Amino acid sequence: NQGDKDDAYRVQLIWDYHSKINEEKLKDSWKRTQAAYPSLRLRFDWNGEIVQVIDKEGEVDWRYQDISEMSKEAQETLIGEITQKDRFEVYDLTQGSLFRVYLFKRGDRHYSCLFSNHHAILDGWSMPIILNSIHDHYLGQLKGEALSPAADSAYALTQQYLQSHKEDSAEFWNTYMGLLEDQEDLSSLVKEDQRHIDLGTYRHIQDHQHIKMQIEGVQYHTLKSFTKEHGFTVNAVLQYLWHKQLSIYSGLGTSVVGTTVSGRSLPVDGIESSAGLYINTLPLIV
């Protein structure tokens, strides 16, 4: 969706600085980091097939506010309101500038920074890479040392690798998935009069809620002993339990679930220190 009205793929990160900040030098550090990482200069073109476009120069959407005259409570309220408003500010994927930086001056030695971006340009692995780059540049400027790190070439090389191996990957997964004799049918979980709906396009969750379950005491120690004895991780046990639920509801002995992987195992130099959306979803068959 070019307009991107869904906020599910907007990522926000907020942190505090408890020191005096030179706003112009920090802004310049964001510019230098954007110049070094192509994913921060990314936009998308929809003329026919969707393609990624990396602009030679990017624009940092920098939003600075001095709110030091406000009370602490008023500052918290304002930052909370802006954070909420930002979550619903649409990113136009065709225009680029797919991240925003808010810097709030709350006192002489207290600043808050809100970093907002569209998930299409960065994954979780990339966050510390970007933040380390910004702060290395900033500290270098404070010392009068201009850093000249190598530009991130791995992002473009990875896109080339993926394009050149696209057919091989499709053939592998089509063959592999063809070995499955059964196909999961979870229609029993849907009301009978609603089973005609294509769940792939249906907006299931309109009211986001959280349910928290805590494993503690005897249950926790029993689980830890079990994983230690058999050489499992807790994650492996939870994965099994999820597949077991699907098996029960589908009535089949085989279940398939899309599982997120880092995507950083490709044979591309520098991929582990690159920034971008590398994660992939692969079918895990149990």
Side-chain angles (χ1 to χ4, degrees), residues 159-226:
Q159 308 314 306
Q160 293 173 10
Y161 179 89
L162 292 172
Q163 286 297 316
S164 61
H165 290 77
K166 185 166 57 175
E167 299 303 325
D168 301 344
S169 299
E171 182 181 351
F172 170 81
W173 286 113
N174 287 334
T175 303
Y176 195 67
M177 297 298 285
L179 298 175
L180 292 174
E181 297 179 359
D182 299 320
Q183 186 172 352
E184 291 167 330
D185 180 8
L186 300 175
S187 60
S188 61
L189 297 176
V190 182
K191 291 179 182 178
E192 196 168 347
D193 61 349
Q194 299 293 318
R195 291 179 187 172
H196 65 281
I197 296 175
D198 178 6
L199 295 182
T201 59
Y202 179 61
R203 301 295 303 161
H204 315 53
I205 304 172
Q206 296 178 349
D207 179 18
H208 294 258
Q209 297 183 11
H210 291 86
I211 296 177
K212 187 175 181 180
M213 186 183 79
Q214 197 154 334
I215 300 173
E216 53 190 353
V218 175
Q219 283 187 326
Y220 172 76
H221 292 295
T222 303
L223 175 61
K224 291 297 288 184
S225 298
F226 176 78

Side-chain angles (χ1 to χ4, degrees), residues 3 10 13 15 29 40 43 56 65 68 71 74-75 100 112 121-122 138 141 154 180 183 191 194 217 243 252:
R10 292 176 214 153
L13 188 64
W15 64 90
S29 298
L40 296 180
R43 58 186 171 89
K56 290 183 178 180
Q65 286 193 46
S68 56
S71 68
Q75 289 179 2
R100 299 186 276 263
S112 291
I121 65 169
L122 295 172
Y138 179 70
Q141 289 190 76
L180 292 174
Q183 186 172 352
K191 291 179 182 178
Q194 299 293 318
H243 280 266
L252 298 175

Side-chain angles (χ1 to χ4, degrees), residues 3-286:
D4 177 41
K5 296 177 181 176
D6 185 357
D7 74 316
Y9 293 103
R10 292 176 214 153
V11 183
Q12 294 175 317
L13 188 64
I14 190 165
W15 64 90
D16 285 357
Y17 296 112
H18 293 285
S19 63
K20 190 170 180 61
I21 294 291
N22 183 312
E23 299 93 357
E24 288 304 314
K25 282 185 168 57
L26 186 60
K27 180 180 179 181
D28 189 63
S29 298
W30 279 92
K31 288 183 177 180
R32 291 169 185 262
T33 296
Q34 184 182 47
Y37 291 93
S39 63
L40 296 180
R41 307 191 306 276
L42 196 61
R43 58 186 171 89
F44 297 84
D45 190 285
W46 262 269
N47 290 326
E49 186 180 2
I50 299 176
V51 295
Q52 300 182 55
V53 180
I54 297 172
D55 291 324
K56 290 183 178 180
E57 293 185 8
E59 187 69 34
V60 177
D61 190 342
W62 179 262
R63 306 182 181 189
Y64 171 73
Q65 286 193 46
D66 185 343
I67 57 174
S68 56
E69 298 299 319
M70 299 172 66
S71 68
K72 185 176 180 182
E73 293 74 19
Q75 289 179 2
E76 293 290 350
T77 300
L78 178 67
I79 293 173
E81 289 173 350
I82 290 175
T83 301
Q84 181 68 9
K85 184 180 178 182
D86 171 81
R87 187 148 194 90
F88 294 97
E89 183 175 337
V90 173
Y91 281 110
D92 186 340
L93 301 183
T94 65
Q95 294 299 312
S97 293
L98 299 179
F99 70 94
R100 299 186 276 263
V101 186
Y102 301 78
L103 184 67
F104 303 97
K105 180 179 181 180
R106 304 179 62 174
D108 286 340
R109 300 182 66 82
H110 186 193
Y111 291 73
S112 291
C113 187
L114 169 64
F115 175 41
S116 169
N117 69 274
H118 194 284
H119 200 10
I121 65 169
L122 295 172
D123 56 21
W125 184 305
S126 304
M127 290 301 187
I129 294 170
I130 293 296
L131 294 179
N132 283 339
S133 171
I134 290 157
H135 295 129
D136 284 346
H137 278 295
Y138 179 70
L139 293 174
Q141 289 190 76
L142 291 183
K143 297 175 184 176
E145 303 169 357
L147 300 182
S148 300
D152 176 13
S153 60
Y155 185 78
L157 291 173
T158 298
Q159 308 314 306
Q160 293 173 10
Y161 179 89
L162 292 172
Q163 286 297 316
S164 61
H165 290 77
K166 185 166 57 175
E167 299 303 325
D168 301 344
S169 299
E171 182 181 351
F172 170 81
W173 286 113
N174 287 334
T175 303
Y176 195 67
M177 297 298 285
L179 298 175
L180 292 174
E181 297 179 359
D182 299 320
Q183 186 172 352
E184 291 167 330
D185 180 8
L186 300 175
S187 60
S188 61
L189 297 176
V190 182
K191 291 179 182 178
E192 196 168 347
D193 61 349
Q194 299 293 318
R195 291 179 187 172
H196 65 281
I197 296 175
D198 178 6
L199 295 182
T201 59
Y202 179 61
R203 301 295 303 161
H204 315 53
I205 304 172
Q206 296 178 349
D207 179 18
H208 294 258
Q209 297 183 11
H210 291 86
I211 296 177
K212 187 175 181 180
M213 186 183 79
Q214 197 154 334
I215 300 173
E216 53 190 353
V218 175
Q219 283 187 326
Y220 172 76
H221 292 295
T222 303
L223 175 61
K224 291 297 288 184
S225 298
F226 176 78
T227 55
K228 186 176 181 180
E229 180 183 349
H230 295 283
F232 297 147
T233 62
V234 172
N235 180 59
V237 174
L238 293 175
Q239 290 274 7
Y240 167 76
L241 293 174
W242 174 234
H243 280 266
K244 187 63 178 176
Q245 291 293 314
L246 294 175
S247 175
I248 290 170
Y249 283 107
S250 66
L252 298 175
T254 301
S255 55
V256 184
V257 166
T259 304
T260 305
V261 295
S262 72
R264 307 256 177 173
S265 59
L266 301 175
V268 176
D269 290 341
I271 193 170
E272 292 189 344
S273 57
S274 176
L277 182 68
Y278 284 93
I279 57 172
N280 198 359
T281 303
L282 301 179
L284 176 62
I285 303 170
V286 175

